[in-house]
Amino acid sequence: MTTGLHPGGQPQDPRPTGNQALPRQERDGHGAPHADNRTRSAVITARAAASFDPVGRSVATARSFVRDTLQGWGFADIVDDAVVLTSELVTNAVVHAGTSADVLCLRSDGGVRIEVADRYPEREIPLQATAVNMGSPDREGGRGLQLCAALAGRWGVDYSPTHKQVWFHLDLPDRPVGTRTAGPALPADLLPLADGRVRVAVIQIDRVGAISAWNEDAEDLFGYAAEQVIGKPLTDLAAWPHTPGTSTGIVEALQLSRWEGSYGLRGASGRVTAVYASHLRVRDTGGEPSTVCLLVRDHERAVLQTPLRASATDTTTSSEGQATDPFEVFIGSPAPDDLDGLLQRTVERARDMLDGDSAFLLLATDDETELEVRASTGLPSARQRFARVPVEAGPGRYGSARMPAVHEDLTVVPGAVPLLAGTGMRSVVTVPLKVEGRLTGSLGVAAEGPSRYSNEEALRLQFAADRIALAVESARLGELERLRRGSLSFLVEASDLLAGTLDRDQTLALMAQMTVPTLATWCAVYTIADQASDPYLSYVLHEDEERIDGLKALLSKIAPPDPVPTPGARVWAAPGEAAHQAALRTSMRSLGLGEPASVTSGIGTTLATAAAVGGETVVLPLVARNRVIGMLTLGKPSDEHFRQEILELAEDLSRRAALALDNARLYSERTAISQSLQRSLLPPDLPHIDGVEVEVIYRAAGEGNEVGGDFYDLFPIRDGVYGFAIGDVCGTGPEAAAVTGLARHALRLLAREGFGGPAVLERLNSAILDEGARSRFLTLLYGELWPQEDGSAMLKVVCAGHPLPLRLRQDGTVEAAAEPQPLLGVMEDLELYEQTVTLDPGDVLLCVTDGVTERREGTRMLGDDGLTDVLTTCTGLTAGAVAARVMRAVERFASDAPSDDMAILAMRVPGLQRD
């Protein structure tokens, strides 16, 4: 949508020019103006234009545009008629004609002219002759023009080759200049008493809520000079977080087109002045939204407060002279794709039809046991919206929503209409909305005075409810279907995200991020480690990141909710009560009425936190495997309630989230156990051997594995003698690691019992075969190391099916240091022998597992020759440098991650150190 506003002056005439033939409605139609009756000569003082795309939601947007424009111009008396007509004409353009719609509002001294143009000039328009009946308002075609004929003072249709334009003119009520509405003349003794001269503070607020203008009366009332407050938010002066009696926040009030109510402002002296304010939302010369606030002391509210409306005329005259109820005409044309807009317009028309002070509409739940507030006017709608009340409430049939009811005085039957408790309404008439005998909702109109309604008003309201019930139910079912499709898509996406991680912290974060802001304004997740543990606050998220710390601090100070396994959402009042008390204490300390606090976050932060959790808070248990593992807490800001559809969706999400959280917990526990067992299979720190450098590099394949099928060991056997081993169990993972533990511990035990290398391996072979079906064959290089006094080292090795150890001499030659023998775990009778190898000073012995030599890149394999080539380049390097160079060459040989375990054991004899 594109909009433009040009206040003042006389803009160019936007209507089509040229020699165009007027349609028959303008020339001859009864009630349609002639061309010379149009207000071309009227001085246009303001102009607002907007364009709307050809989609269903544009109808609601157009209504809001016209309503805000006319209220900003101060034409509240004709807003409803203008909105109804615009809605019909825009619906014709964007829904029926399927083109975009251009809406133009022109303000003049005598009223408002609104033009709606579409790009479908060939569309047939029903013609109206002088004495032709336009038919029922329920018929599909021509309803917009019928409304123009019924509600507008003048109207017509213009054509161009590319556009069709319908316009209507609404005249302002004939009232004395300067009056908005008039009340009855009162005796002097009944007039309100003013304390001295009445001072009216005029304050202007810019689009971000900062004060931009401050007059002399404002200085006198509150004690601040203009330069002290200009540029500061008005909310900084607010002493009460919400308006008493209505619970409408000042921030919300500043955003409304027009608002009247009470709140408290803190003066320069620290005292709070109760004021009655009238807010009007306007646009400045630059087109920016701005709010003008008129304030008087609360006991002088009669200066600003709008009097009760006089009796409204309920009927208009049709072309045949018959009385036609505008509300009935309106109900004949609901917007099928805008349930909220339809309900809101219904309550506004119902209120005006019965001259009430408020009206409300509730829709029944699927089981018809409760009614949910979906629209209201004249009531604190933010507090009531989506609140639920039982169908059967209060004494007798007057409390039943299934029958029409008239309450002459609610103070006599308190609780008969729970929705009106504490609102000041005394008389009310309610009627059911039924479709095929089934209760689908309830419509009510209330007034502040007693005995305002009788059975006659109930019958009129019931007639209107019967007209609208089917359209409301159809729109509700359409909305419910859209919500269900959206819920299914949401749950599918949530399941994919939750299934994509086994990390506990990430699961907690996903739970919160999926609920905020889609389902709630803020979210807190409590977890329970075991049945003996208390709930722990694990994660907090708010849609406004600046409020997370304050919310977390507040929730940390109150007891967590009870871990009740009962499914479904339950209301938790503790956060709201704690926030209210904290805000009250902070406000009192700021006025010097309470105990000073050594550490405080400031009144602004405290009140912001109170507003964040002041609405409804619900708790859903996180139940997995028949155990409560935590709670999911969802909250709304001040005065808001959760819809039942949202709670049902949150319950579905909580079940999936609970299972994902418990899976993450089990995975974490099993991973910790696995890692602990794996670490027990690794040898302790390598011993220091005088005269021999030793370096080991070990890499287990597989994510999260610290030990696999490859293993190594280096340990002292007795003084001056050390055992070393490097082996490879068939396979990888836990099964291979189990044989690894058996082999490493058996080698140490047998070697220290004095057995030689062949005997040690033969007994280890028998132990592996004793494992039966769990046994796995094993390749093993085992040896004993004797450092010599001349700086050399003697080794006795047995190579049982393992890659042969390589010896690097000082001259750069590489040779195998042993001969191959049978592997272990296959045959029972083995005849093994040991070989003696002497390492001269500067020599290196390199032992590896087959994960090194079998490293592959496509069809290429590193192999024994490739390893020999790498080792040839290591002459003169330390044992650590040799092992690192070999590992680096193996990693660079292929781009993929290793698929097999790898172990490298390098021993080097540096020779004797001479002084």
Side-chain angles (χ1 to χ4, degrees):
M1 182 188 78
T2 59
T3 63
L5 177 68
H6 307 283
Q10 185 171 355
Q12 297 179 355
D13 193 341
R15 294 180 290 274
T17 60
N19 298 323
Q20 299 176 16
L22 293 176
R24 183 176 174 183
Q25 293 97 317
E26 279 197 77
R27 297 195 304 269
D28 302 318
H30 177 72
H34 296 285
D36 55 353
N37 287 334
R38 296 171 61 181
T39 57
R40 292 185 183 273
S41 60
V43 176
I44 297 175
T45 58
R47 174 183 182 271
S51 297
F52 302 93
D53 296 329
V55 293
R57 62 177 179 272
S58 294
V59 179
T61 309
R63 287 197 301 268
S64 300
F65 164 70
V66 172
R67 183 180 298 277
D68 291 343
T69 299
L70 299 192
Q71 287 183 340
W73 289 348
F75 292 167
D77 296 308
I78 59 175
V79 163
D80 289 341
D81 289 342
V83 169
V84 169
L85 295 177
T86 303
S87 178
E88 282 299 323
L89 298 178
V90 173
T91 300
N92 291 339
V94 303
V95 176
H96 300 306
T99 75
S100 59
D102 299 327
V103 179
L104 174 65
C105 300
L106 299 174
R107 182 181 71 183
S108 63
D109 297 335
V112 172
R113 175 189 172 101
I114 297 179
E115 302 176 353
V116 179
D118 63 43
R119 293 170 175 80
Y120 192 4
E122 297 84 2
R123 180 175 172 81
E124 180 183 355
I125 297 179
L127 303 180
Q128 178 188 2
T130 302
V132 175
N133 182 6
M134 295 184 69
S136 169
D138 291 329
R139 74 177 198 171
E140 185 65 22
R143 230 163 20 204
L145 298 185
Q146 292 182 56
L147 288 175
C148 289
L151 302 179
R154 295 180 298 277
W155 63 279
V157 183
D158 292 340
Y159 284 99
S160 74
T162 59
H163 291 72
K164 178 181 94 305
Q165 176 179 274
V166 181
W167 61 270
F168 60 88
H169 184 91
L170 297 175
D171 296 321
L172 293 177
D174 188 12
R175 291 176 178 165
V177 176
T179 62
R180 175 167 178 249
T181 184
L186 295 176
D189 56 349
L190 296 181
L191 296 176
L193 180 64
D195 182 13
R197 183 172 75 84
V198 176
R199 298 186 182 275
V200 180
V202 181
I203 304 173
Q204 191 158 357
I205 313 299
D206 61 20
R207 68 179 307 160
V208 297
I211 299 172
S212 59
W214 183 269
N215 73 339
E216 294 182 359
D217 279 0
E219 294 183 13
D220 186 78
L221 283 175
F222 307 115
Y224 294 107
E227 57 270 15
Q228 293 180 275
V229 294
I230 289 180
K232 295 183 178 179
L234 179 63
T235 52
D236 286 357
L237 306 182
W240 303 332
H242 305 97
T243 305
T246 65
S247 295
T248 298
I250 295 178
V251 176
E252 291 84 355
L254 293 175
Q255 299 299 320
L256 299 177
S257 297
R258 182 179 291 277
W259 182 87
E260 292 181 13
S262 300
Y263 51 82
L265 289 184
R266 185 180 297 104
S269 63
R271 291 190 175 185
V272 176
T273 301
V275 299
Y276 189 84
S278 175
H279 297 176
L280 176 64
R281 189 79 161 166
V282 298
R283 292 179 180 174
D284 58 24
T285 55
E288 292 293 324
S290 176
T291 302
V292 177
C293 307
L294 305 180
L295 299 89
V296 297
R297 285 171 291 196
D298 194 61
H299 63 274
E300 298 171 342
R301 62 168 60 193
V303 176
L304 299 180
Q305 189 172 23
T306 302
L308 295 174
R309 290 186 303 276
S311 297
T313 301
D314 294 327
T315 60
T316 59
T317 303
S318 69
S319 60
E320 297 180 331
Q322 298 177 347
T324 304
D325 193 341
F327 182 62
E328 295 178 24
V329 175
F330 161 70
I331 286 183
S333 57
D337 60 343
D338 183 15
L339 177 61
D340 290 336
L342 172 62
L343 300 183
Q344 188 61 37
R345 288 183 296 169
T346 300
V347 296
E348 291 173 358
R349 285 294 185 178
R351 178 200 62 187
D352 295 342
M353 184 179 70
L354 298 187
D355 191 27
D357 295 302
S358 63
F360 52 90
L361 193 150
L362 304 90
L363 295 184
T365 56
D366 292 339
D367 56 6
E368 299 180 12
T369 60
E370 289 183 308
L371 294 171
E372 184 179 63
V373 181
R374 291 300 301 270
S376 65
T377 182
L379 294 174
S381 58
R383 181 184 65 181
Q384 304 293 351
R385 186 166 171 80
F386 301 126
R388 290 196 165 199
V389 295
V391 170
E392 304 293 339
R397 72 180 185 88
Y398 293 105
S400 175
R402 302 184 186 275
M403 296 288 292
V406 177
H407 300 271
E408 295 182 351
D409 194 344
L410 290 177
T411 59
V412 179
V413 282
V417 185
L419 178 65
L420 301 180
T423 61
M425 301 296 161
R426 295 187 61 181
S427 56
V428 61
V429 53
T430 61
V431 296
L433 274 69
K434 293 185 177 181
V435 175
E436 297 180 350
R438 181 173 57 87
L439 179 69
T440 60
S442 178
L443 177 63
V445 178
E448 295 179 352
S451 304
R452 288 281 298 276
Y453 303 115
S454 64
N455 288 338
E456 181 181 353
E457 284 80 9
L459 289 175
R460 292 182 61 202
L461 190 61
Q462 183 66 69
F463 179 74
D466 292 341
R467 296 286 302 279
I468 195 67
L470 185 59
V472 169
E473 180 66 5
S474 177
R476 186 188 72 85
L477 292 176
E479 180 193 65
L480 185 60
E481 180 62 24
R482 289 191 295 271
L483 285 174
R484 287 175 176 171
R485 289 198 300 267
S487 299
L488 181 61
S489 176
F490 172 80
L491 290 175
V492 168
E493 182 179 359
S495 299
D496 290 342
L497 291 173
L498 291 171
T501 179
L502 288 172
D503 182 81
R504 176 182 176 275
D505 293 338
Q506 189 174 1
T507 302
L508 290 172
L510 284 174
M511 290 170 58
Q513 291 167 5
M514 285 185 292
T515 57
V516 176
T518 305
L519 304 182
T521 304
W522 63 269
C523 167
V525 183
Y526 292 84
T527 56
I528 303 175
D530 51 61
Q531 295 181 351
S533 302
D534 294 328
Y536 174 75
L537 182 62
S538 298
Y539 202 91
V540 176
L541 183 65
H542 193 284
E543 65 180 5
D544 184 355
E545 295 182 357
E546 296 180 355
R547 297 190 179 185
I548 294 179
D549 292 338
L551 179 59
K552 186 182 298 183
L554 175 69
L555 295 177
S556 300
K557 294 177 182 177
I558 62 177
D562 296 330
V564 179
T566 306
R570 54 192 173 92
V571 177
W572 185 32
E577 295 173 355
H580 176 74
Q581 293 298 324
L584 181 60
R585 289 193 300 269
T586 302
S587 297
M588 293 178 65
R589 284 198 299 268
S590 67
L591 298 175
L593 301 178
E595 294 294 331
S598 57
V599 179
T600 178
S601 59
I603 185 171
T605 303
T606 304
L607 295 183
T609 303
V613 301
E616 190 173 60
T617 301
V618 296
V619 178
L620 297 102
L622 298 174
V623 181
R625 298 177 176 90
N626 299 321
R627 185 174 73 87
V628 180
I629 64 172
M631 286 87 69
L632 177 64
T633 303
L634 307 179
K636 286 282 190 179
S638 299
D639 307 328
E640 291 193 20
H641 295 268
F642 285 96
R643 295 185 60 177
Q644 184 63 23
E645 293 84 356
I646 295 298
L647 294 180
E648 293 173 355
L649 181 58
E651 187 176 357
D652 288 339
L653 175 63
S654 67
R655 288 194 290 266
R656 290 165 169 78
L659 187 59
L661 184 61
D662 199 48
N663 288 340
R665 177 187 63 83
L666 293 175
Y667 177 78
S668 299
E669 291 177 355
R670 293 180 181 180
T671 299
I673 294 172
S674 175
Q675 291 176 345
S676 177
L677 292 175
Q678 289 184 60
R679 283 192 292 270
S680 69
L681 299 179
L682 294 174
D685 295 338
L686 298 178
H688 175 72
I689 304 177
D690 292 334
V692 179
E693 297 175 357
V694 179
E695 182 65 28
V696 174
I697 296 179
Y698 184 82
R699 297 284 190 275
E703 183 179 357
N705 291 330
E706 295 186 24
V707 175
D710 291 6
F711 69 95
Y712 68 93
D713 202 0
L714 179 64
F715 56 91
I717 299 176
R718 53 186 178 273
D719 290 342
V721 181
Y722 298 87
F724 66 91
I726 183 170
D728 183 3
V729 180
C730 173
T732 60
E735 295 83 1
V739 180
T740 296
L742 170 65
R744 192 176 67 81
H745 292 295
L747 288 175
R748 287 195 173 212
L749 179 62
L750 294 172
R752 287 170 177 171
E753 289 294 323
F755 292 99
V760 168
L761 267 62
E762 289 170 359
R763 285 165 174 77
L764 175 60
N765 180 65
S766 298
I768 294 174
L769 293 175
D770 288 343
E771 291 293 310
R774 296 181 300 174
S775 66
R776 291 170 174 258
F777 63 82
L778 167 68
T779 67
L780 180 64
L781 172 65
Y782 174 76
E784 296 179 355
L785 171 66
W786 280 273
Q788 304 298 311
E789 294 181 356
D790 61 357
S792 63
M794 183 178 68
L795 294 87
K796 293 182 179 181
V797 297
V798 180
C799 186
H802 197 76
L804 300 179
L806 299 179
R807 175 182 181 180
L808 171 65
R809 295 183 179 275
Q810 283 187 311
D811 59 3
T813 59
V814 176
E815 61 185 7
E819 296 177 353
Q821 301 185 55
L823 51 78
L824 308 180
V826 178
M827 299 179 294
E828 293 185 359
D829 297 328
L830 292 180
E831 294 183 2
L832 303 175
Y833 58 91
E834 60 184 8
Q835 296 174 273
T836 301
V837 179
T838 300
L839 295 181
D840 297 326
D843 289 354
V844 175
L845 184 71
L846 177 66
C847 309
V848 301
T849 58
D850 59 6
V852 174
T853 56
E854 294 180 2
R855 178 71 164 151
R856 293 180 179 275
E857 173 69 20
T859 58
R860 297 186 308 119
M861 185 173 69
L862 180 63
D864 295 335
D865 294 339
L867 180 62
T868 300
D869 294 339
V870 174
L871 186 59
T872 303
T873 65
C874 297
T875 303
L877 300 181
T878 63
V882 171
R885 178 169 291 187
V886 172
M887 178 56 72
R888 188 162 54 248
V890 172
E891 291 174 344
R892 292 178 177 177
F893 186 80
S895 58
D896 296 337
S899 59
D900 195 5
D901 305 325
M902 293 186 293
I904 298 174
L905 171 62
M907 295 182 289
R908 178 175 179 270
V909 180
L912 293 175
Q913 300 293 329
R914 300 183 182 274
D915 297 335

Coordinates of all heavy atoms in Angstrom, one line a residue, residues 62-63 66-67 70 75-90 103 105 112-114 116 151-152 168-170 349:
A62 N -7.6 -0.8 4.1 CA -8.3 0.4 3.6 C -9.2 0.9 4.7 O -9.3 2.1 4.8 CB -9.1 0.0 2.3
R63 N -9.9 0.0 5.4 CA -10.7 0.5 6.5 C -9.9 1.3 7.5 O -10.3 2.4 8.0 CB -11.4 -0.7 7.1 CG -12.6 -1.3 6.3 CD -13.5 -2.1 7.2 NE -12.7 -3.2 7.8 CZ -12.6 -4.4 7.3 NH1 -13.1 -4.7 6.1 NH2 -11.9 -5.4 7.9
V66 N -8.9 4.8 6.1 CA -9.9 5.8 6.2 C -10.3 6.2 7.6 O -10.5 7.4 7.9 CB -11.2 5.3 5.4 CG1 -12.4 6.2 5.6 CG2 -10.9 5.1 3.9
R67 N -10.4 5.2 8.5 CA -10.7 5.5 9.9 C -9.6 6.5 10.5 O -10.0 7.5 11.1 CB -10.8 4.2 10.7 CG -11.2 4.4 12.2 CD -11.2 3.1 12.9 NE -12.2 2.2 12.3 CZ -13.5 2.3 12.6 NH1 -14.0 3.2 13.5 NH2 -14.4 1.4 12.1
L70 N -9.9 10.1 8.9 CA -11.0 10.9 9.3 C -10.9 11.3 10.8 O -11.3 12.4 11.2 CB -12.3 10.2 9.0 CG -12.6 9.9 7.5 CD1 -14.0 9.5 7.3 CD2 -12.3 11.2 6.7
F75 N -13.2 14.2 12.3 CA -14.6 13.9 11.8 C -15.1 12.5 12.3 O -15.5 11.6 11.6 CB -14.5 13.8 10.2 CG -14.3 15.1 9.6 CD1 -13.9 15.2 8.2 CD2 -14.4 16.3 10.3 CE1 -13.7 16.4 7.6 CE2 -14.1 17.5 9.7 CZ -13.8 17.6 8.4
A76 N -15.0 12.4 13.6 CA -15.4 11.1 14.3 C -16.9 10.8 14.0 O -17.3 9.6 14.0 CB -15.1 11.1 15.8
D77 N -17.7 11.8 13.8 CA -19.2 11.6 13.7 C -19.5 10.8 12.4 O -20.6 10.2 12.3 CB -19.9 12.9 13.7 CG -19.8 13.6 15.0 OD1 -20.0 12.9 16.0 OD2 -19.4 14.8 15.0
I78 N -18.7 10.9 11.4 CA -19.0 10.2 10.1 C -18.0 9.1 9.8 O -18.1 8.6 8.7 CB -19.0 11.3 8.9 CG1 -17.6 11.9 8.8 CG2 -20.1 12.3 9.1 CD1 -17.5 12.8 7.6
V79 N -17.2 8.7 10.8 CA -16.2 7.7 10.5 C -16.8 6.4 10.2 O -16.4 5.7 9.2 CB -15.2 7.6 11.7 CG1 -14.5 6.3 11.7 CG2 -14.3 8.7 11.8
D80 N -17.8 6.0 10.9 CA -18.4 4.6 10.7 C -19.0 4.5 9.3 O -18.8 3.5 8.6 CB -19.4 4.4 11.8 CG -18.8 4.1 13.2 OD1 -17.6 3.8 13.2 OD2 -19.5 4.2 14.2
D81 N -19.8 5.5 8.9 CA -20.4 5.4 7.6 C -19.3 5.4 6.5 O -19.4 4.7 5.5 CB -21.3 6.6 7.4 CG -22.6 6.5 8.2 OD1 -22.9 5.3 8.7 OD2 -23.3 7.5 8.4
A82 N -18.3 6.2 6.7 CA -17.2 6.3 5.7 C -16.5 4.9 5.6 O -16.2 4.5 4.5 CB -16.3 7.4 6.0
V83 N -16.2 4.3 6.7 CA -15.5 3.1 6.7 C -16.4 2.0 6.1 O -15.9 1.1 5.3 CB -15.1 2.7 8.2 CG1 -14.7 1.2 8.3 CG2 -14.1 3.6 8.7
V84 N -17.7 1.9 6.4 CA -18.5 0.9 5.8 C -18.6 1.0 4.3 O -18.4 0.1 3.5 CB -19.9 1.0 6.4 CG1 -20.9 0.1 5.6 CG2 -19.9 0.6 7.8
L85 N -18.8 2.3 3.8 CA -18.8 2.5 2.3 C -17.5 2.2 1.7 O -17.4 1.5 0.6 CB -19.2 3.9 2.0 CG -20.6 4.3 2.5 CD1 -20.9 5.8 2.2 CD2 -21.7 3.5 1.8
T86 N -16.4 2.6 2.3 CA -15.1 2.3 1.7 C -14.8 0.8 1.6 O -14.3 0.3 0.7 CB -14.0 3.0 2.5 OG1 -14.3 4.4 2.5 CG2 -12.6 2.8 1.9
S87 N -15.2 0.1 2.7 CA -15.0 -1.3 2.8 C -15.7 -2.0 1.6 O -15.2 -2.9 0.9 CB -15.5 -1.9 4.1 OG -15.4 -3.3 4.1
E88 N -17.0 -1.6 1.3 CA -17.7 -2.2 0.3 C -17.1 -1.9 -1.1 O -16.9 -2.8 -1.9 CB -19.2 -1.7 0.3 CG -20.0 -2.4 1.3 CD -20.1 -3.9 1.1 OE1 -20.2 -4.3 0.0 OE2 -20.1 -4.6 2.1
L89 N -16.7 -0.7 -1.3 CA -16.2 -0.3 -2.6 C -14.8 -0.9 -2.9 O -14.5 -1.4 -4.0 CB -16.1 1.2 -2.7 CG -17.5 1.9 -2.6 CD1 -17.3 3.4 -2.7 CD2 -18.4 1.4 -3.7
V90 N -14.0 -1.0 -1.8 CA -12.7 -1.6 -2.0 C -12.8 -3.1 -2.2 O -12.1 -3.7 -3.0 CB -11.8 -1.3 -0.8 CG1 -10.5 -2.1 -0.9 CG2 -11.5 0.2 -0.7
V103 N -7.7 4.8 -3.2 CA -8.6 5.5 -2.3 C -8.1 6.9 -2.1 O -6.9 7.1 -1.7 CB -8.7 4.8 -1.0 CG1 -9.7 5.5 0.0 CG2 -9.2 3.3 -1.2
C105 N -9.2 10.6 -0.1 CA -10.0 11.3 0.9 C -9.7 12.8 0.7 O -8.6 13.2 0.8 CB -9.7 10.8 2.3 SG -9.9 9.1 2.6
V112 N -16.7 15.4 3.8 CA -15.6 14.6 3.3 C -16.1 13.9 2.0 O -17.2 13.4 2.0 CB -15.1 13.6 4.3 CG1 -14.2 12.6 3.7 CG2 -14.5 14.2 5.5
R113 N -15.2 13.9 1.0 CA -15.5 13.2 -0.2 C -14.5 12.1 -0.3 O -13.3 12.4 -0.2 CB -15.4 14.2 -1.4 CG -15.5 13.5 -2.8 CD -15.2 14.4 -3.9 NE -15.1 13.8 -5.2 CZ -16.1 13.8 -6.1 NH1 -17.2 14.4 -5.8 NH2 -16.0 13.2 -7.3
I114 N -14.9 10.9 -0.6 CA -14.0 9.7 -0.7 C -14.3 9.1 -2.0 O -15.4 8.8 -2.4 CB -14.3 8.7 0.4 CG1 -13.9 9.4 1.8 CG2 -13.4 7.5 0.2 CD1 -14.2 8.5 3.0
V116 N -13.1 5.9 -4.7 CA -12.5 4.6 -4.8 C -12.5 4.3 -6.3 O -13.5 4.2 -6.9 CB -13.3 3.5 -4.0 CG1 -12.6 2.2 -4.2 CG2 -13.3 3.9 -2.5
L151 N -26.5 5.8 2.7 CA -25.7 6.5 3.8 C -25.2 7.8 3.3 O -24.9 8.7 4.1 CB -24.6 5.6 4.3 CG -25.0 4.2 4.9 CD1 -23.8 3.5 5.3 CD2 -26.0 4.4 6.0
A152 N -24.8 8.0 2.0 CA -24.1 9.1 1.6 C -25.1 10.3 1.2 O -26.2 10.0 0.8 CB -23.2 8.8 0.4
F168 N -18.3 9.2 -3.1 CA -19.5 9.6 -2.2 C -19.0 10.7 -1.3 O -17.9 10.9 -1.0 CB -20.0 8.4 -1.4 CG -19.0 7.8 -0.5 CD1 -18.8 8.3 0.8 CD2 -18.2 6.8 -0.9 CE1 -17.8 7.8 1.7 CE2 -17.2 6.2 0.0 CZ -17.1 6.7 1.3
H169 N -20.0 11.5 -1.0 CA -19.8 12.7 -0.1 C -20.6 12.6 1.2 O -21.8 12.3 1.1 CB -20.2 14.0 -0.8 CG -19.8 15.2 -0.1 ND1 -18.6 15.9 -0.2 CD2 -20.6 15.9 0.8 CE1 -18.6 16.9 0.6 NE2 -19.8 17.0 1.3
L170 N -20.0 12.7 2.3 CA -20.6 12.7 3.6 C -20.6 14.1 4.2 O -19.5 14.6 4.4 CB -20.0 11.7 4.5 CG -20.0 10.2 4.1 CD1 -19.1 9.3 5.0 CD2 -21.4 9.7 4.0
R349 N -21.3 -1.4 15.5 CA -22.7 -1.2 15.0 C -23.7 -1.5 16.0 O -24.7 -0.9 16.2 CB -22.9 -1.9 13.7 CG -22.2 -1.3 12.5 CD -22.8 0.0 12.2 NE -22.2 0.6 10.9 CZ -22.6 1.7 10.4 NH1 -23.5 2.5 11.0 NH2 -22.0 2.1 9.3

